[in-house]
Amino acid sequence: PRQLDFVETIRSSSDTLLAIINDILDFSKIESGKLDLEKIPFNLRNCVEESLDLLTSQAAAKNLNLAYTIDSQTPTSIIGDITRVRQILINLLSNAVKFTEAGEIVVSVTAKQLTNTTNNYQIQFAVKDTGIGIPQDKINRLFNPFSQVDASMTRQYGGTGLGLAISKRLSEIMDGTMWVESTPKIGSTFYFTIVAQSAPNNRIVNLEDIQPHIAGKRLLVVDDNPTNRQILTLQMQKWGIIVVTAASGLQALELINSESKFDMAIVDMRMPQMDGLTLAERIHSIPGYEQFPLVILSSVDRLTQQQIATKSEYLTLLSKPIKQSQLYDTCVRILCGKQISILSSTNKISKFDSKLSEKLPLRILLVEDMPLNQKVALHMLQRLGYCADVASNGLEALYSLRRQDYDIVFMDVQMPEMDGLQATRHISKEWAPGYRPWIVAITANAMQGDREECLNAGMNDYISKPIRIEALMEIFNNYKNLQQSLNKDSDSTAVVNINRNKSDSEDESAINTEILQELKDMAGDDADEMIAELIDSYLEDASPKVQEISRALARHDTENLRNYAHALRSLSVTIGAQSLARVCTELETIARSGSIFKATKIVQQLDKEYQRVETALQLQYPTRRHHD
């Protein structure tokens, strides 16, 4: 216990010092006019939810209710700097949690379309708490750098007095402003605005309109917190659901006994007099309600899946703060008549495989200069079971790699002192291909050619900001597939493996029909036509690349050899030509090492494999035109 206490003291002190350094660095950048903002599309709701996620555990430890609302007039996606918007939100939320001992913290987002343009909006964020409040005569000191309300605040709560000053400057850089309304012992509301363009995003389902498949269903909401009741009611009424609310378990039982039958109930776990599980047991004891589906709302670490599963198979769990997409998925699954089970609960557990690190143990280095980005990336990796080391620029990354080996390096591209491209080139020179880590580029630049620039520098894969868990899982899957197909000992053994497994490759189907079937399923009614067009497109694109690979080999042009092998691999994976894709990976690896003479046999193998793929595709759809 004493050692644990010492370690906790060291960690807490280190976090405090790091926060001070980061605040001073940010403030210095702003003061010197050297802070550049990114202009990329991002999902505004995801930005708010991710900010809340980082404070959920701290709020739960103090039994604080976290919630958010986004007005229906607010654009779903906007163009701006998600990192800086999230930084302001986390700063305000952190302060709210710090200065609130009981009650709730609510984030509200509204938008007003500007008259001078059709797609420019002034977006207003409000973070409201029920904390200690601020005296009116002290409010003017809040946004001054290195200043707090009074000296006792620093002694009791810590901090640099820079957070609000930085946040206000950031909002002003984004053409907005920041202000506060507060009453001592009642609470505070911090507001900030930004100006941003809306960004079209056809991939996002509109969850602000009537949803015909669940409209008309009757739902009971039981929560002692009026804010939660209001948020749930407003959201589900948009979908056409008939909502009845109760402020306690007793009131809910009265409604169930007196009202017509409900289709589903959402129950808060923590309520006075009767908690959620007790209410669930009482409801399930009522005749006709034995199999009544209930959703339990619980803060993080307050209730485990196992606890719920042992109570009833008709209970499921949703974590607070409630997320719109999770609420929608849960309502659809239950109200459309599908069997519910805690094991199929649609929350983040379905996205995050917390046991991934056990299945795929890896040593990971994260190279990122932005503290907030570090925090978000580390949080995602931790949810997958990984504990990553951190470097703040390319130079630190090189020192880390010289000190110990890593399997994967997530490398930010734009960093001070030494950027990711320079660092990767140094790594490629210093470490042989079989001994260097798998390097994944992380960049906010999603422009055409950026991916190629990263790969040309020696990086192995690419992920764009903001990082999404699906993309992160794909990176790990790519790495796993590479390890299964490559012997990492040396380039020479890679060539030997190709020759030794040649007969195995020839026995393997040239095309993975399961991948083609997945593409058909995705296409729906036009599946055959879409697949035929896809095959035509593949043959048209792939054939010239095979020829260019042979020309590059003849000219001893390792750069083009690597680039065309990578391009052919990318095409082949999409169409299901997995064996050919593996040969391309071997060729790309050897070309990167500059050993042209080792590539001759692999190019011969690639030619044969491509002929098998071409024949298989033409047999699959013989009515399509043939390609020379």
Side-chain angles (χ1 to χ4, degrees), residues 55-66 97 101-103 267-271 275-278 296-311 316-321 342 347 349:
L55 276 301
T56 298
S57 59
Q58 296 176 34
K62 300 176 74 172
N63 293 329
L64 299 177
N65 182 61
L66 279 184
V97 171
E101 295 304 321
V267 178
D268 186 40
M269 179 56 193
R270 291 187 69 256
M271 293 186 293
D275 66 23
L277 278 184
T278 304
I296 303 291
L297 299 179
S298 174
S299 299
V300 66
D301 295 331
R302 290 290 170 188
L303 196 63
T304 65
Q305 290 186 346
Q306 290 77 13
Q307 284 176 306
I308 287 185
T310 57
K311 294 292 183 181
T316 191
L317 171 68
L318 272 183
S319 298
K320 292 182 179 180
I342 187 62
N347 52 27
I349 295 164

mmCIF file of all heavy atoms in Angstrom, residues 55-66 97 101-103 267-271 275-278 296-311 316-321 342 347 349:
data_model
loop_
_atom_site.group_PDB
_atom_site.id
_atom_site.type_symbol
_atom_site.label_atom_id
_atom_site.label_comp_id
_atom_site.label_asym_id
_atom_site.label_seq_id
_atom_site.Cartn_x
_atom_site.Cartn_y
_atom_site.Cartn_z
ATOM 1 N N LEU A 55 -14.296 11.966 -20.006
ATOM 2 C CA LEU A 55 -14.605 12.431 -18.636
ATOM 3 C C LEU A 55 -15.598 11.522 -17.926
ATOM 4 O O LEU A 55 -15.940 11.785 -16.761
ATOM 5 C CB LEU A 55 -15.175 13.861 -18.696
ATOM 6 C CG LEU A 55 -14.198 15.050 -18.757
ATOM 7 C CD1 LEU A 55 -13.295 15.044 -17.533
ATOM 8 C CD2 LEU A 55 -13.381 15.055 -20.029
ATOM 9 N N THR A 56 -16.060 10.469 -18.581
ATOM 10 C CA THR A 56 -17.108 9.631 -18.007
ATOM 11 C C THR A 56 -16.697 9.015 -16.682
ATOM 12 O O THR A 56 -17.448 9.040 -15.699
ATOM 13 C CB THR A 56 -17.498 8.523 -19.004
ATOM 14 O OG1 THR A 56 -18.012 9.117 -20.202
ATOM 15 C CG2 THR A 56 -18.566 7.619 -18.415
ATOM 16 N N SER A 57 -15.494 8.445 -16.623
ATOM 17 C CA SER A 57 -15.068 7.765 -15.394
ATOM 18 C C SER A 57 -14.921 8.750 -14.242
ATOM 19 O O SER A 57 -15.290 8.442 -13.098
ATOM 20 C CB SER A 57 -13.763 7.007 -15.632
ATOM 21 O OG SER A 57 -12.745 7.892 -16.058
ATOM 22 N N GLN A 58 -14.388 9.956 -14.511
ATOM 23 C CA GLN A 58 -14.236 10.954 -13.446
ATOM 24 C C GLN A 58 -15.594 11.414 -12.928
ATOM 25 O O GLN A 58 -15.790 11.600 -11.723
ATOM 26 C CB GLN A 58 -13.443 12.153 -13.958
ATOM 27 C CG GLN A 58 -12.011 11.825 -14.362
ATOM 28 C CD GLN A 58 -11.300 13.028 -14.955
ATOM 29 O OE1 GLN A 58 -11.539 14.156 -14.557
ATOM 30 N NE2 GLN A 58 -10.426 12.782 -15.927
ATOM 31 N N ALA A 59 -16.543 11.588 -13.855
ATOM 32 C CA ALA A 59 -17.891 12.003 -13.436
ATOM 33 C C ALA A 59 -18.576 10.900 -12.646
ATOM 34 O O ALA A 59 -19.249 11.160 -11.647
ATOM 35 C CB ALA A 59 -18.720 12.373 -14.666
ATOM 36 N N ALA A 60 -18.385 9.644 -13.084
ATOM 37 C CA ALA A 60 -19.014 8.520 -12.388
ATOM 38 C C ALA A 60 -18.476 8.376 -10.968
ATOM 39 O O ALA A 60 -19.209 8.016 -10.046
ATOM 40 C CB ALA A 60 -18.785 7.232 -13.174
ATOM 41 N N ALA A 61 -17.182 8.674 -10.791
ATOM 42 C CA ALA A 61 -16.580 8.567 -9.458
ATOM 43 C C ALA A 61 -17.226 9.548 -8.474
ATOM 44 O O ALA A 61 -17.230 9.316 -7.263
ATOM 45 C CB ALA A 61 -15.076 8.817 -9.545
ATOM 46 N N LYS A 62 -17.796 10.645 -8.999
ATOM 47 C CA LYS A 62 -18.462 11.637 -8.135
ATOM 48 C C LYS A 62 -19.984 11.541 -8.248
ATOM 49 O O LYS A 62 -20.698 12.423 -7.761
ATOM 50 C CB LYS A 62 -17.995 13.050 -8.520
ATOM 51 C CG LYS A 62 -16.499 13.251 -8.379
ATOM 52 C CD LYS A 62 -16.047 14.624 -8.866
ATOM 53 C CE LYS A 62 -16.426 15.715 -7.904
ATOM 54 N NZ LYS A 62 -15.808 17.033 -8.276
ATOM 55 N N ASN A 63 -20.471 10.475 -8.921
ATOM 56 C CA ASN A 63 -21.920 10.272 -9.103
ATOM 57 C C ASN A 63 -22.581 11.446 -9.827
ATOM 58 O O ASN A 63 -23.727 11.815 -9.525
ATOM 59 C CB ASN A 63 -22.620 10.028 -7.758
ATOM 60 C CG ASN A 63 -22.205 8.717 -7.124
ATOM 61 O OD1 ASN A 63 -21.893 7.748 -7.837
ATOM 62 N ND2 ASN A 63 -22.178 8.668 -5.806
ATOM 63 N N LEU A 64 -21.864 12.030 -10.769
ATOM 64 C CA LEU A 64 -22.419 13.137 -11.555
ATOM 65 C C LEU A 64 -23.082 12.602 -12.815
ATOM 66 O O LEU A 64 -22.580 11.660 -13.442
ATOM 67 C CB LEU A 64 -21.305 14.119 -11.944
ATOM 68 C CG LEU A 64 -20.547 14.795 -10.803
ATOM 69 C CD1 LEU A 64 -19.424 15.672 -11.359
ATOM 70 C CD2 LEU A 64 -21.491 15.625 -9.943
ATOM 71 N N ASN A 65 -24.184 13.207 -13.181
ATOM 72 C CA ASN A 65 -24.885 12.819 -14.397
ATOM 73 C C ASN A 65 -24.322 13.602 -15.577
ATOM 74 O O ASN A 65 -24.250 14.831 -15.547
ATOM 75 C CB ASN A 65 -26.387 13.090 -14.256
ATOM 76 C CG ASN A 65 -27.155 12.650 -15.493
ATOM 77 O OD1 ASN A 65 -27.157 11.479 -15.850
ATOM 78 N ND2 ASN A 65 -27.809 13.600 -16.141
ATOM 79 N N LEU A 66 -23.899 12.893 -16.634
ATOM 80 C CA LEU A 66 -23.409 13.522 -17.861
ATOM 81 C C LEU A 66 -24.441 13.319 -18.965
ATOM 82 O O LEU A 66 -24.945 12.207 -19.145
ATOM 83 C CB LEU A 66 -22.087 12.898 -18.303
ATOM 84 C CG LEU A 66 -20.785 13.354 -17.651
ATOM 85 C CD1 LEU A 66 -19.612 12.670 -18.330
ATOM 86 C CD2 LEU A 66 -20.626 14.858 -17.716
ATOM 87 N N VAL A 97 -16.488 19.080 -14.084
ATOM 88 C CA VAL A 97 -16.384 17.923 -13.185
ATOM 89 C C VAL A 97 -15.598 18.298 -11.925
ATOM 90 O O VAL A 97 -15.954 17.919 -10.806
ATOM 91 C CB VAL A 97 -15.714 16.732 -13.909
ATOM 92 C CG1 VAL A 97 -15.408 15.606 -12.926
ATOM 93 C CG2 VAL A 97 -16.604 16.222 -15.036
ATOM 94 N N GLU A 101 -19.736 18.961 -7.192
ATOM 95 C CA GLU A 101 -19.731 17.842 -6.239
ATOM 96 C C GLU A 101 -20.982 16.989 -6.337
ATOM 97 O O GLU A 101 -20.970 15.824 -5.953
ATOM 98 C CB GLU A 101 -19.578 18.374 -4.807
ATOM 99 C CG GLU A 101 -18.253 19.059 -4.539
ATOM 100 C CD GLU A 101 -17.066 18.153 -4.842
ATOM 101 O OE1 GLU A 101 -17.139 16.938 -4.538
ATOM 102 O OE2 GLU A 101 -16.062 18.654 -5.396
ATOM 103 N N ALA A 102 -22.069 17.545 -6.838
ATOM 104 C CA ALA A 102 -23.315 16.788 -6.948
ATOM 105 C C ALA A 102 -24.157 17.390 -8.066
ATOM 106 O O ALA A 102 -24.054 18.582 -8.366
ATOM 107 C CB ALA A 102 -24.089 16.811 -5.634
ATOM 108 N N GLY A 103 -24.971 16.535 -8.699
ATOM 109 C CA GLY A 103 -25.868 17.039 -9.729
ATOM 110 C C GLY A 103 -25.507 16.547 -11.104
ATOM 111 O O GLY A 103 -25.275 15.352 -11.315
ATOM 112 N N VAL A 267 -34.803 2.317 -17.948
ATOM 113 C CA VAL A 267 -34.791 2.543 -16.508
ATOM 114 C C VAL A 267 -33.393 2.949 -16.061
ATOM 115 O O VAL A 267 -32.402 2.284 -16.403
ATOM 116 C CB VAL A 267 -35.236 1.263 -15.757
ATOM 117 C CG1 VAL A 267 -35.186 1.480 -14.253
ATOM 118 C CG2 VAL A 267 -36.632 0.841 -16.202
ATOM 119 N N ASP A 268 -33.297 4.027 -15.298
ATOM 120 C CA ASP A 268 -32.013 4.430 -14.728
ATOM 121 C C ASP A 268 -31.652 3.492 -13.584
ATOM 122 O O ASP A 268 -32.511 3.060 -12.816
ATOM 123 C CB ASP A 268 -32.100 5.872 -14.228
ATOM 124 C CG ASP A 268 -30.749 6.385 -13.752
ATOM 125 O OD1 ASP A 268 -29.741 6.074 -14.411
ATOM 126 O OD2 ASP A 268 -30.701 7.076 -12.716
ATOM 127 N N MET A 269 -30.371 3.172 -13.465
ATOM 128 C CA MET A 269 -29.934 2.259 -12.416
ATOM 129 C C MET A 269 -29.972 2.941 -11.052
ATOM 130 O O MET A 269 -30.465 2.368 -10.078
ATOM 131 C CB MET A 269 -28.517 1.768 -12.723
ATOM 132 C CG MET A 269 -27.942 0.828 -11.672
ATOM 133 S SD MET A 269 -28.983 -0.614 -11.392
ATOM 134 C CE MET A 269 -28.253 -1.244 -9.880
ATOM 135 N N ARG A 270 -29.461 4.166 -10.960
ATOM 136 C CA ARG A 270 -29.333 4.828 -9.665
ATOM 137 C C ARG A 270 -30.525 5.757 -9.433
ATOM 138 O O ARG A 270 -30.588 6.846 -9.980
ATOM 139 C CB ARG A 270 -28.031 5.624 -9.596
ATOM 140 C CG ARG A 270 -26.783 4.767 -9.565
ATOM 141 C CD ARG A 270 -25.546 5.621 -9.314
ATOM 142 N NE ARG A 270 -25.532 6.155 -7.966
ATOM 143 C CZ ARG A 270 -25.817 7.407 -7.638
ATOM 144 N NH1 ARG A 270 -26.155 8.280 -8.563
ATOM 145 N NH2 ARG A 270 -25.769 7.818 -6.399
ATOM 146 N N MET A 271 -31.461 5.281 -8.635
ATOM 147 C CA MET A 271 -32.604 6.107 -8.242
ATOM 148 C C MET A 271 -32.837 5.929 -6.749
ATOM 149 O O MET A 271 -32.584 4.852 -6.201
ATOM 150 C CB MET A 271 -33.864 5.693 -9.026
ATOM 151 C CG MET A 271 -33.803 5.980 -10.513
ATOM 152 S SD MET A 271 -35.383 5.631 -11.334
ATOM 153 C CE MET A 271 -35.473 3.844 -11.147
ATOM 154 N N ASP A 275 -33.887 1.149 -6.849
ATOM 155 C CA ASP A 275 -32.952 1.254 -7.969
ATOM 156 C C ASP A 275 -33.478 0.504 -9.191
ATOM 157 O O ASP A 275 -34.533 -0.145 -9.143
ATOM 158 C CB ASP A 275 -31.554 0.765 -7.573
ATOM 159 C CG ASP A 275 -31.498 -0.726 -7.256
ATOM 160 O OD1 ASP A 275 -32.363 -1.478 -7.733
ATOM 161 O OD2 ASP A 275 -30.570 -1.141 -6.536
ATOM 162 N N GLY A 276 -32.730 0.578 -10.289
ATOM 163 C CA GLY A 276 -33.187 0.025 -11.553
ATOM 164 C C GLY A 276 -33.406 -1.475 -11.536
ATOM 165 O O GLY A 276 -34.399 -1.985 -12.082
ATOM 166 N N LEU A 277 -32.479 -2.213 -10.912
ATOM 167 C CA LEU A 277 -32.601 -3.670 -10.887
ATOM 168 C C LEU A 277 -33.784 -4.116 -10.039
ATOM 169 O O LEU A 277 -34.506 -5.056 -10.389
ATOM 170 C CB LEU A 277 -31.311 -4.300 -10.360
ATOM 171 C CG LEU A 277 -30.177 -4.471 -11.381
ATOM 172 C CD1 LEU A 277 -28.998 -5.186 -10.742
ATOM 173 C CD2 LEU A 277 -30.646 -5.235 -12.608
ATOM 174 N N THR A 278 -33.994 -3.441 -8.908
ATOM 175 C CA THR A 278 -35.144 -3.768 -8.066
ATOM 176 C C THR A 278 -36.449 -3.511 -8.813
ATOM 177 O O THR A 278 -37.383 -4.327 -8.771
ATOM 178 C CB THR A 278 -35.115 -2.948 -6.762
ATOM 179 O OG1 THR A 278 -33.880 -3.170 -6.092
ATOM 180 C CG2 THR A 278 -36.270 -3.328 -5.849
ATOM 181 N N ILE A 296 -31.379 -0.963 -18.987
ATOM 182 C CA ILE A 296 -30.846 -0.336 -17.783
ATOM 183 C C ILE A 296 -29.793 0.693 -18.186
ATOM 184 O O ILE A 296 -28.865 0.386 -18.931
ATOM 185 C CB ILE A 296 -30.215 -1.375 -16.843
ATOM 186 C CG1 ILE A 296 -31.226 -2.457 -16.480
ATOM 187 C CG2 ILE A 296 -29.666 -0.703 -15.594
ATOM 188 C CD1 ILE A 296 -32.349 -2.005 -15.601
ATOM 189 N N LEU A 297 -29.947 1.932 -17.709
ATOM 190 C CA LEU A 297 -28.955 2.982 -17.926
ATOM 191 C C LEU A 297 -28.009 3.023 -16.740
ATOM 192 O O LEU A 297 -28.460 3.124 -15.594
ATOM 193 C CB LEU A 297 -29.627 4.351 -18.090
ATOM 194 C CG LEU A 297 -30.594 4.510 -19.257
ATOM 195 C CD1 LEU A 297 -31.183 5.921 -19.250
ATOM 196 C CD2 LEU A 297 -29.914 4.236 -20.579
ATOM 197 N N SER A 298 -26.720 2.948 -17.000
ATOM 198 C CA SER A 298 -25.766 2.915 -15.896
ATOM 199 C C SER A 298 -24.502 3.668 -16.266
ATOM 200 O O SER A 298 -24.039 3.603 -17.412
ATOM 201 C CB SER A 298 -25.413 1.468 -15.547
ATOM 202 O OG SER A 298 -24.396 1.418 -14.580
ATOM 203 N N SER A 299 -23.933 4.375 -15.292
ATOM 204 C CA SER A 299 -22.638 5.014 -15.478
ATOM 205 C C SER A 299 -21.553 3.956 -15.521
ATOM 206 O O SER A 299 -21.729 2.827 -15.072
ATOM 207 C CB SER A 299 -22.354 6.001 -14.339
ATOM 208 O OG SER A 299 -23.330 7.009 -14.312
ATOM 209 N N VAL A 300 -20.395 4.323 -16.059
ATOM 210 C CA VAL A 300 -19.296 3.379 -16.204
ATOM 211 C C VAL A 300 -18.917 2.801 -14.842
ATOM 212 O O VAL A 300 -18.886 3.492 -13.835
ATOM 213 C CB VAL A 300 -18.075 4.065 -16.864
ATOM 214 C CG1 VAL A 300 -17.507 5.138 -15.964
ATOM 215 C CG2 VAL A 300 -17.010 3.054 -17.223
ATOM 216 N N ASP A 301 -18.647 1.496 -14.831
ATOM 217 C CA ASP A 301 -18.212 0.764 -13.636
ATOM 218 C C ASP A 301 -19.298 0.631 -12.576
ATOM 219 O O ASP A 301 -19.051 0.084 -11.513
ATOM 220 C CB ASP A 301 -16.976 1.410 -12.984
ATOM 221 C CG ASP A 301 -15.760 1.352 -13.886
ATOM 222 O OD1 ASP A 301 -15.685 0.403 -14.688
ATOM 223 O OD2 ASP A 301 -14.907 2.244 -13.793
ATOM 224 N N ARG A 302 -20.498 1.104 -12.848
ATOM 225 C CA ARG A 302 -21.558 0.979 -11.854
ATOM 226 C C ARG A 302 -22.280 -0.357 -11.961
ATOM 227 O O ARG A 302 -22.934 -0.800 -11.031
ATOM 228 C CB ARG A 302 -22.579 2.123 -12.030
ATOM 229 C CG ARG A 302 -22.013 3.456 -11.629
ATOM 230 C CD ARG A 302 -21.832 3.524 -10.141
ATOM 231 N NE ARG A 302 -21.070 4.692 -9.752
ATOM 232 C CZ ARG A 302 -20.650 4.907 -8.533
ATOM 233 N NH1 ARG A 302 -20.858 4.040 -7.589
ATOM 234 N NH2 ARG A 302 -19.972 5.995 -8.252
ATOM 235 N N LEU A 303 -22.221 -0.958 -13.115
ATOM 236 C CA LEU A 303 -22.939 -2.199 -13.326
ATOM 237 C C LEU A 303 -22.236 -2.975 -14.410
ATOM 238 O O LEU A 303 -21.868 -2.420 -15.431
ATOM 239 C CB LEU A 303 -24.379 -1.883 -13.754
ATOM 240 C CG LEU A 303 -25.393 -3.018 -13.668
ATOM 241 C CD1 LEU A 303 -25.555 -3.470 -12.225
ATOM 242 C CD2 LEU A 303 -26.723 -2.548 -14.214
ATOM 243 N N THR A 304 -22.039 -4.249 -14.203
ATOM 244 C CA THR A 304 -21.365 -5.061 -15.210
ATOM 245 C C THR A 304 -22.388 -5.855 -16.002
ATOM 246 O O THR A 304 -23.521 -6.084 -15.555
ATOM 247 C CB THR A 304 -20.375 -6.030 -14.553
ATOM 248 O OG1 THR A 304 -21.104 -6.954 -13.753
ATOM 249 C CG2 THR A 304 -19.359 -5.296 -13.704
ATOM 250 N N GLN A 305 -21.959 -6.303 -17.185
ATOM 251 C CA GLN A 305 -22.850 -7.126 -17.995
ATOM 252 C C GLN A 305 -23.210 -8.415 -17.275
ATOM 253 O O GLN A 305 -24.345 -8.889 -17.334
ATOM 254 C CB GLN A 305 -22.155 -7.459 -19.318
ATOM 255 C CG GLN A 305 -22.018 -6.272 -20.236
ATOM 256 C CD GLN A 305 -21.447 -6.684 -21.580
ATOM 257 O OE1 GLN A 305 -20.930 -7.780 -21.730
ATOM 258 N NE2 GLN A 305 -21.558 -5.819 -22.547
ATOM 259 N N GLN A 306 -22.224 -8.989 -16.575
ATOM 260 C CA GLN A 306 -22.472 -10.247 -15.899
ATOM 261 C C GLN A 306 -23.561 -10.096 -14.830
ATOM 262 O O GLN A 306 -24.416 -10.967 -14.661
ATOM 263 C CB GLN A 306 -21.183 -10.771 -15.251
ATOM 264 C CG GLN A 306 -20.139 -11.241 -16.249
ATOM 265 C CD GLN A 306 -19.403 -10.075 -16.897
ATOM 266 O OE1 GLN A 306 -19.505 -8.944 -16.438
ATOM 267 N NE2 GLN A 306 -18.663 -10.359 -17.963
ATOM 268 N N GLN A 307 -23.536 -8.968 -14.105
ATOM 269 C CA GLN A 307 -24.552 -8.740 -13.077
ATOM 270 C C GLN A 307 -25.945 -8.701 -13.686
ATOM 271 O O GLN A 307 -26.896 -9.259 -13.149
ATOM 272 C CB GLN A 307 -24.276 -7.431 -12.343
ATOM 273 C CG GLN A 307 -23.130 -7.508 -11.350
ATOM 274 C CD GLN A 307 -22.856 -6.156 -10.728
ATOM 275 O OE1 GLN A 307 -22.641 -5.175 -11.426
ATOM 276 N NE2 GLN A 307 -22.873 -6.106 -9.405
ATOM 277 N N ILE A 308 -26.073 -8.035 -14.821
ATOM 278 C CA ILE A 308 -27.375 -7.936 -15.469
ATOM 279 C C ILE A 308 -27.792 -9.296 -16.022
ATOM 280 O O ILE A 308 -28.933 -9.721 -15.884
ATOM 281 C CB ILE A 308 -27.334 -6.891 -16.608
ATOM 282 C CG1 ILE A 308 -27.280 -5.496 -16.000
ATOM 283 C CG2 ILE A 308 -28.552 -7.015 -17.490
ATOM 284 C CD1 ILE A 308 -27.355 -4.402 -17.010
ATOM 285 N N ALA A 309 -26.845 -10.002 -16.659
ATOM 286 C CA ALA A 309 -27.162 -11.277 -17.282
ATOM 287 C C ALA A 309 -27.677 -12.296 -16.265
ATOM 288 O O ALA A 309 -28.530 -13.128 -16.585
ATOM 289 C CB ALA A 309 -25.937 -11.824 -18.002
ATOM 290 N N THR A 310 -27.171 -12.226 -15.034
ATOM 291 C CA THR A 310 -27.615 -13.178 -14.018
ATOM 292 C C THR A 310 -29.014 -12.857 -13.517
ATOM 293 O O THR A 310 -29.681 -13.719 -12.942
ATOM 294 C CB THR A 310 -26.639 -13.172 -12.818
ATOM 295 O OG1 THR A 310 -26.558 -11.842 -12.287
ATOM 296 C CG2 THR A 310 -25.258 -13.639 -13.241
ATOM 297 N N LYS A 311 -29.466 -11.633 -13.744
ATOM 298 C CA LYS A 311 -30.797 -11.248 -13.268
ATOM 299 C C LYS A 311 -31.892 -11.718 -14.222
ATOM 300 O O LYS A 311 -32.881 -12.302 -13.814
ATOM 301 C CB LYS A 311 -30.874 -9.721 -13.100
ATOM 302 C CG LYS A 311 -29.964 -9.165 -12.011
ATOM 303 C CD LYS A 311 -30.425 -9.594 -10.634
ATOM 304 C CE LYS A 311 -29.540 -8.974 -9.561
ATOM 305 N NZ LYS A 311 -29.960 -9.396 -8.201
ATOM 306 N N THR A 316 -31.069 -5.466 -20.791
ATOM 307 C CA THR A 316 -29.875 -5.081 -21.539
ATOM 308 C C THR A 316 -29.326 -3.801 -20.929
ATOM 309 O O THR A 316 -29.988 -3.164 -20.112
ATOM 310 C CB THR A 316 -30.170 -4.906 -23.040
ATOM 311 O OG1 THR A 316 -28.953 -4.779 -23.746
ATOM 312 C CG2 THR A 316 -31.034 -3.685 -23.291
ATOM 313 N N LEU A 317 -28.115 -3.446 -21.330
ATOM 314 C CA LEU A 317 -27.409 -2.342 -20.680
ATOM 315 C C LEU A 317 -27.018 -1.272 -21.689
ATOM 316 O O LEU A 317 -26.543 -1.582 -22.777
ATOM 317 C CB LEU A 317 -26.139 -2.877 -19.994
ATOM 318 C CG LEU A 317 -25.141 -1.852 -19.443
ATOM 319 C CD1 LEU A 317 -25.749 -1.110 -18.265
ATOM 320 C CD2 LEU A 317 -23.852 -2.543 -19.024
ATOM 321 N N LEU A 318 -27.232 -0.019 -21.317
ATOM 322 C CA LEU A 318 -26.705 1.118 -22.069
ATOM 323 C C LEU A 318 -25.915 1.989 -21.102
ATOM 324 O O LEU A 318 -26.380 2.277 -19.995
ATOM 325 C CB LEU A 318 -27.821 1.947 -22.706
ATOM 326 C CG LEU A 318 -28.307 1.527 -24.092
ATOM 327 C CD1 LEU A 318 -29.355 2.507 -24.598
ATOM 328 C CD2 LEU A 318 -27.169 1.442 -25.088
ATOM 329 N N SER A 319 -24.732 2.413 -21.525
ATOM 330 C CA SER A 319 -23.887 3.238 -20.666
ATOM 331 C C SER A 319 -24.216 4.716 -20.829
ATOM 332 O O SER A 319 -24.563 5.170 -21.914
ATOM 333 C CB SER A 319 -22.402 3.006 -21.003
ATOM 334 O OG SER A 319 -22.046 1.668 -20.766
ATOM 335 N N LYS A 320 -24.101 5.433 -19.737
ATOM 336 C CA LYS A 320 -24.224 6.895 -19.780
ATOM 337 C C LYS A 320 -22.862 7.504 -20.097
ATOM 338 O O LYS A 320 -21.834 6.933 -19.718
ATOM 339 C CB LYS A 320 -24.706 7.425 -18.426
ATOM 340 C CG LYS A 320 -26.120 7.057 -18.060
ATOM 341 C CD LYS A 320 -26.452 7.698 -16.720
ATOM 342 C CE LYS A 320 -27.854 7.426 -16.268
ATOM 343 N NZ LYS A 320 -28.141 8.060 -14.978
ATOM 344 N N PRO A 321 -22.824 8.678 -20.728
ATOM 345 C CA PRO A 321 -23.959 9.415 -21.287
ATOM 346 C C PRO A 321 -24.554 8.706 -22.499
ATOM 347 O O PRO A 321 -23.832 8.059 -23.257
ATOM 348 C CB PRO A 321 -23.346 10.766 -21.679
ATOM 349 C CG PRO A 321 -21.905 10.471 -21.914
ATOM 350 C CD PRO A 321 -21.539 9.386 -20.954
ATOM 351 N N ILE A 342 -28.084 -9.375 -23.337
ATOM 352 C CA ILE A 342 -26.987 -8.503 -22.926
ATOM 353 C C ILE A 342 -25.755 -8.734 -23.776
ATOM 354 O O ILE A 342 -24.959 -7.845 -24.008
ATOM 355 C CB ILE A 342 -26.663 -8.724 -21.432
ATOM 356 C CG1 ILE A 342 -25.639 -7.702 -20.953
ATOM 357 C CG2 ILE A 342 -26.168 -10.110 -21.186
ATOM 358 C CD1 ILE A 342 -26.098 -6.292 -21.046
ATOM 359 N N ASN A 347 -23.579 -1.302 -27.638
ATOM 360 C CA ASN A 347 -22.794 -0.168 -27.165
ATOM 361 C C ASN A 347 -21.371 -0.380 -27.649
ATOM 362 O O ASN A 347 -21.123 -1.183 -28.527
ATOM 363 C CB ASN A 347 -22.886 -0.036 -25.634
ATOM 364 C CG ASN A 347 -22.556 -1.348 -24.936
ATOM 365 O OD1 ASN A 347 -21.815 -2.163 -25.469
ATOM 366 N ND2 ASN A 347 -23.118 -1.539 -23.764
ATOM 367 N N ILE A 349 -19.016 -1.975 -26.697
ATOM 368 C CA ILE A 349 -18.421 -3.291 -26.551
ATOM 369 C C ILE A 349 -18.423 -4.010 -27.888
ATOM 370 O O ILE A 349 -17.557 -4.807 -28.184
ATOM 371 C CB ILE A 349 -19.183 -4.084 -25.476
ATOM 372 C CG1 ILE A 349 -18.989 -3.402 -24.125
ATOM 373 C CG2 ILE A 349 -18.748 -5.531 -25.410
ATOM 374 C CD1 ILE A 349 -19.952 -3.820 -23.064
#
